[in-house]
Amino acid sequence: MSTHASQLERLTFFSDAVFAIAITLLVIEIHVPRLGVADDHAYLAALHELMPSFMGFILSFLVIGALWAAHHRVFGLLADYDSGLVMPNLLLLMVIAFMPFATALMSANPLARVPELFYAGTLLTAGLLQRWLFGKALRAPYLRRDVAPADVVAVRARSWALPTAALLAFALAWVAPAYNNFVLLLIPLLARLLPRLARRRLAAATA
């Protein structure tokens, strides 16, 4: 194994570890009710109060999972390593590691504007940093030789799904705190639509 390939592997393993820790820490912010009674209604009420935390956990788990899947996909396309990838990758991991706090703040104050703006802004930052990282990584001479140009175009287009949805959620947080998070459900749709549009544009340009 070459030195560069070894460095790329180390960067990938380190990134995977940070993603795993961040996604695990999300559940720590959900505090277990300790009522000291055996009343069923009291526990049901306590669990009901935790619903925003449960929803925040699920939402952030899926977002971090999507970020990891995209990171895994892109680094799987690389055959070489460049030190220029380290800083954008570290900045992305910094925001990923910060997401449990942003999630807890939003979940504890589900109808407040500032926590919702803070959460959407964190997602937007993560999405833009990942787009920056992918833009630097998905180019020669770092790509594997068997990677088709259409696949690169599709992956780059897909990386706009999260920042696009997060920007919409950020804007809607001003007028509809909490409900703005439903916009994030567009991420899977955008992740499918944007690559298709990009492939069509490439096919039309090369026809």
Side-chain angles (χ1 to χ4, degrees):
M1 181 182 292
S2 67
T3 301
H4 281 192
S6 176
Q7 293 293 340
L8 178 62
E9 189 176 76
R10 290 185 63 190
L11 184 64
T12 303
F13 287 162
F14 175 73
S15 301
D16 287 346
V18 174
F19 276 104
I21 292 171
I23 212 168
T24 302
L25 288 176
L26 289 172
V27 76
I28 295 179
E29 297 297 336
I30 303 177
H31 302 293
V32 177
R34 302 184 185 278
L35 305 180
V37 297
D39 181 52
D40 294 342
H41 294 290
Y43 279 101
L44 289 173
L47 289 172
H48 184 267
E49 291 180 1
L50 288 175
M51 284 302 297
S53 295
F54 294 149
M55 297 305 296
F57 166 79
I58 294 172
L59 179 59
S60 291
F61 190 100
L62 293 176
V63 169
I64 295 178
L67 285 165
W68 173 82
H71 192 279
H72 177 74
R73 185 184 305 110
V74 167
F75 273 64
L77 300 176
L78 304 183
D80 207 347
Y81 164 88
D82 180 76
S83 58
L85 299 180
V86 174
M87 184 53 65
N89 193 70
L90 277 177
L91 291 174
L92 171 62
L93 296 179
M94 178 182 68
V95 179
I96 295 299
F98 185 74
M99 278 191 64
F101 172 79
T103 303
L105 178 66
M106 179 267 294
S107 300
N109 307 278
L111 298 178
R113 181 180 292 112
V114 171
E116 291 292 347
L117 288 170
F118 192 84
Y119 180 74
T122 301
L123 297 186
L124 177 60
T125 303
L128 291 175
L129 285 173
Q130 188 172 75
R131 180 64 186 83
W132 178 37
L133 171 64
F134 291 174
K136 293 179 69 68
L138 294 171
R139 56 190 175 90
Y142 313 122
L143 285 167
R144 297 199 324 259
R145 294 183 179 179
D146 61 336
V147 178
D151 293 333
V152 175
V153 169
V155 171
R156 285 177 174 169
R158 184 182 289 112
S159 66
W160 283 110
L162 174 58
T164 300
L167 181 60
L168 290 173
F170 185 88
L172 285 175
W174 287 95
V175 295
Y179 299 101
N180 65 303
N181 287 328
F182 286 105
V183 177
L184 299 175
L185 297 175
L186 293 174
I187 294 175
L189 177 62
L190 291 172
R192 289 178 176 272
L193 177 62
L194 294 177
R196 290 181 182 179
L197 294 176
R199 287 180 184 274
R200 289 178 183 177
R201 286 196 298 268
L202 179 63
T206 55

